[in-house]
Amino acid sequence: MVFFNPMIAPATALDYAQQNLVNHDFSGQDLRDSKFDHANLRSSNFSNANLEGVRFFASNLESANFEGANLRYADLESARLIRVNFTNAVLEGAFATNTLFKGAIIDGADFTDVLLRPDVEKYLCTIAKGTNPVTGRDTKDTLYCPD
């Protein structure tokens, strides 16, 4: 016998693909498994949002704020990440092999098991610092930066 509790709202993935959401405020929201493919999210705020499993494929995330966000297993493939704030974000297991992080802030970010191009990983090591407050991991260690 299966019981349904009407007091618990089911998690619903949303589809924001190809939308113009410049300066949109998604802070603190639970957006697990949502899709933002090819969306214009320039200067949008995702601080402290749950973005686990979210797809940002080929999205414009220039100057977006992901401070304290959960980006575990997110797809950032081909996204534009110019001047993005990843302070204290958790990107564990994210997919970002064709992504540049030009001008990004990654203080305290956790990149454990993130798929990155070797040149991007090398660049991130030059700016990496801090410890993630959620996972307790040093940013440099999660990027396998040489000492």
Side-chain angles (χ1 to χ4, degrees):
M1 189 177 290
V2 176
F3 293 98
F4 174 72
N5 184 346
M7 301 302 288
I8 300 173
T12 305
L14 301 172
D15 190 347
Y16 295 99
Q18 300 180 355
Q19 292 190 33
N20 185 1
L21 299 164
V22 173
N23 292 313
H24 198 84
D25 186 7
F26 293 100
S27 61
Q29 293 186 34
D30 187 347
L31 298 166
R32 282 176 287 180
D33 298 319
S34 294
K35 294 179 184 167
F36 291 89
D37 297 351
H38 301 278
N40 186 358
L41 298 158
R42 188 171 29 90
S43 299
S44 289
N45 184 6
F46 291 95
S47 62
N48 301 304
N50 186 355
L51 304 168
E52 190 166 332
V54 168
R55 285 180 45 99
F56 288 106
F57 181 80
S59 293
N60 179 5
L61 293 164
E62 182 176 347
S63 300
N65 181 11
F66 289 99
E67 186 169 352
N70 173 11
L71 287 151
R72 285 180 173 99
Y73 311 107
D75 182 353
L76 299 165
E77 186 67 11
S78 300
R80 183 175 183 180
L81 299 173
I82 311 271
R83 294 183 302 280
V84 172
N85 182 0
F86 284 116
T87 301
N88 297 328
V90 178
L91 294 105
E92 185 175 353
F95 187 69
T97 56
N98 193 30
T99 305
L100 294 177
F101 290 81
K102 185 176 180 184
I105 301 168
I106 62 167
D107 301 356
D110 185 336
F111 285 88
T112 301
D113 298 328
V114 174
L115 297 173
L116 296 165
R117 287 191 343 232
D119 62 316
V120 172
E121 188 173 320
K122 185 176 179 180
Y123 164 71
L124 291 177
C125 283
T126 67
I127 62 171
K129 63 182 175 182
T131 301
N132 187 276
V134 174
T135 65
R137 298 177 186 135
D138 289 340
T139 301
K140 285 188 178 245
D141 291 344
T142 65
L143 288 165
Y144 301 107
C145 299
D147 290 334

